[in-house]
Structure formats: C-alpha cells, structure tokens
Amino acid sequence: MRRDVRLEIITEAIEGLIPGAAPANLSVEVKETLSVTGCASNTWTSRPEGLAERIFTALYGRPRPPAGELDARMSAGADLESRPWYPLRPGDLVHVHYEQAADMPAFGETYIVGDAGGPGDPVPRLLSMQLLAHTCPDAIGAGLGMVGCFAVDAHDDPLHEPWYEAGPQRLTIVRDGRPVHAGGAR
C-alpha cells in the first residue's frame, strides 16, 4: 500500500525532532502534568508513525490507499506537487539511483535543472533537465539506451516522469547544496 505524502511528511517531521536518530528506535510520549502537584497523571506513548496517523486523521480523515493505473498516476502527481520543495528550480540537482538487475550493476545518474525559456516567455516557464554525470559502465549503458533517459530540453515539469517511472524512493533532489528530498534515506 502506498502511503499518502502528507502522512509521510508528518511522520518525517516527528522523526526529525531528534536529528540523526534512527527512526526504528524512536517513540513519542505525551504527558499530562497536574498543575497542583506537578506529577504526571496521564501518559500516551506511541511510535512516530502512530502519532503522525492520529494527526493526519484529525486533519484529513483516515488515509486511503490509491488503486489502479489512473489512480497511481494521479496519486504520483499529487504526491509530487504536495512536497514542500516543489516545483523544481533552475540549479536543482536530481539524482536517480538504479538498483542492480541481472547483469546490470547498480548505478546512478545526476541531472541539473536549467531555465529553458527565454526573456518574455509566459509563465509557467519551461525547465530543462540535462544529464550531468552517471556511474553506469559505458559499455553497458550505451547498449541499453538507459543513461540519460530522463533528460529533457524544455518541459513544464521535468520531474514528473522520473517521479512516476523511477519512483520517489530512488530520487534525491538537492537545492542550494542541501538535500530537499532523500528518497532512499528511509
């Protein structure tokens, strides 16, 4: 089941309260402290995702899994567009990680986002996404035509295809030298 991006963001915000902590080792405790005695009278303890789900349910209702190809595409688009760092900007770096498959070794590609429009172009402006570097052995990558497959000269949203095709879990987005999306970090 694919989780709602809003639920993931809430969970990551809770897990981020202790920088560098392993999410599997975290728990959340809420205490009621009596004003007269200063003692805790009631406590509630959960994992970060349990608290995140309670917050999500209060704000949006119970999370629902999407179903079907159309729902998956719509969900991927909504997932991408709801990210706090979205949309891409010129200068952003997009790294795609490919897992090992059969004789193909694991490798990565890094793309740089540029402004593809000219002066006076209507908004929204078009962006390019050009291959900057890759770690695929040339003899393998050239024969399969895989390397650079997400490069585009001008597109209103060059991240949509890799987001849907490769998946957000295989993407890392870097803005101003800082990762704003680290898909493989979880």
Side-chain angles (χ1 to χ4, degrees):
M1 173 169 83
R2 187 179 183 126
R3 291 171 49 129
D4 188 296
V5 68
R6 297 168 296 180
L7 182 57
E8 290 178 14
I9 291 169
I10 294 168
T11 302
E12 289 171 7
I14 294 167
E15 292 171 349
L17 292 172
I18 302 178
N25 298 333
L26 291 175
S27 66
V28 179
E29 182 178 273
V30 179
K31 286 189 220 180
E32 175 189 28
T33 304
L34 299 175
S35 60
V36 177
T37 64
C39 297
S41 65
N42 293 306
T43 62
W44 177 84
T45 305
S46 178
R47 308 246 328 115
E49 55 269 16
L51 176 58
E53 190 166 320
R54 301 267 311 237
I55 293 168
F56 181 93
T57 301
L59 292 172
Y60 310 109
R62 299 234 13 109
R64 293 176 298 156
E69 177 72 15
L70 182 56
D71 284 347
R73 284 195 178 273
M74 290 175 59
S75 178
D79 178 27
L80 173 59
E81 292 171 11
S82 68
R83 299 292 172 145
W85 46 263
Y86 180 84
L88 287 177
R89 298 180 194 160
D92 286 353
L93 298 174
V94 177
H95 181 79
V96 184
H97 170 75
Y98 296 94
E99 301 291 336
Q100 178 183 355
D103 293 335
M104 177 68 109
F107 73 98
E109 301 178 308
T110 303
Y111 295 86
I112 187 161
V113 177
D115 189 344
D121 282 350
V123 175
R125 76 169 173 254
L126 297 176
L127 297 173
S128 67
M129 195 162 80
Q130 300 303 315
L131 182 65
L132 188 61
H134 69 86
T135 60
C136 183
D138 290 334
I140 295 173
L144 297 177
M146 285 189 61
V147 174
C149 66
F150 294 121
V152 294
D153 290 328
H155 197 283
D156 60 337
D157 188 357
L159 188 58
H160 184 79
E161 185 175 350
W163 190 267
Y164 181 75
E165 295 296 333
Q169 73 280 7
R170 290 188 184 89
L171 301 177
T172 301
I173 317 291
V174 177
R175 176 170 292 153
D176 301 326
R178 301 220 183 251
V180 294
H181 173 78
R186 295 200 70 177

